[in-house]
Amino acid sequence: MRTVLNVLNFVLGGFLTTLSWLLATLVSIIFIFTLPLTRSCWEITKLSFVPYGNEAVHVDELNPQGKSAILNTGGTLLNIIWLIFFGWWLCLLHIATGIAQCITIIGIPVGIANFKIAVIALWPVGRRVVSVEVAQAAREANARRRFQ
């Protein structure tokens, strides 16, 4: 089922959003001050290309022992730079694509996935794209650790 939905996403406009993320990745490589954003761009490019079966998870959920106030502050500053240069137009693109997909009855599930990616497009630094199973296992391990 994931494969069918991923193909449907690609056909109904996912290729445009993926190309936009690739463009943002290339621009972040070209400008030296945006080079730290490249990893986040690439991660969300993968999610935009194959949204079903993958999920964007914050690195603090994947590795709670590696939390650092300095890294979180740096990530916040990078997210602000991201929002100014790339985030707002990628978010609008995902919203427009999601609306267009929801107009077609068959595209409603794909449109909802684009709305989820639109939220991530605003604040992507510190997120990694992992399989749904890995994300669920990380959440369960964090819950067990938190409530023991």
Side-chain angles (χ1 to χ4, degrees):
M1 188 63 164
R2 290 178 183 172
T3 305
V4 171
L5 288 171
N6 283 325
V7 169
L8 186 63
N9 173 58
F10 190 77
V11 170
L12 292 179
F15 65 94
L16 288 174
T17 58
T18 302
L19 285 176
S20 299
W21 278 100
L22 281 173
L23 177 65
T25 303
L26 291 174
V27 170
S28 71
I29 291 170
I30 292 170
F31 295 124
I32 293 172
F33 68 94
T34 58
L35 198 56
L37 300 171
T38 305
R39 169 87 188 253
S40 297
C41 287
W42 183 248
E43 290 287 326
I44 309 304
T45 301
K46 293 187 293 186
L47 183 65
S48 179
F49 184 64
V50 186
Y52 292 96
N54 292 319
E55 193 172 329
V57 178
H58 199 275
V59 291
D60 290 344
E61 287 184 63
L62 292 174
N63 184 15
Q65 295 83 10
K67 281 186 177 182
S68 167
I70 294 172
L71 290 177
N72 283 340
T73 304
T76 300
L77 292 174
L78 286 173
N79 272 321
I80 291 170
I81 292 169
W82 170 266
L83 182 65
I84 293 168
F85 287 101
F86 305 109
W88 65 272
W89 65 268
L90 284 167
C91 178
L92 290 176
L93 178 67
H94 276 285
I95 290 171
T97 304
I99 290 170
Q101 290 170 336
C102 285
I103 289 173
T104 66
I105 302 296
I106 196 167
I108 290 174
V110 180
I112 292 170
N114 267 295
F115 295 141
K116 290 178 183 178
I117 298 172
V119 173
I120 296 168
L122 291 174
W123 213 254
V125 175
R127 297 193 187 247
R128 298 293 174 261
V129 175
V130 296
S131 69
V132 173
E133 293 81 14
V134 171
Q136 184 64 31
R139 286 191 187 102
E140 288 173 4
N142 288 335
R144 268 189 249 111
R145 195 175 303 110
R146 210 175 290 141
F147 295 113
Q148 282 183 349

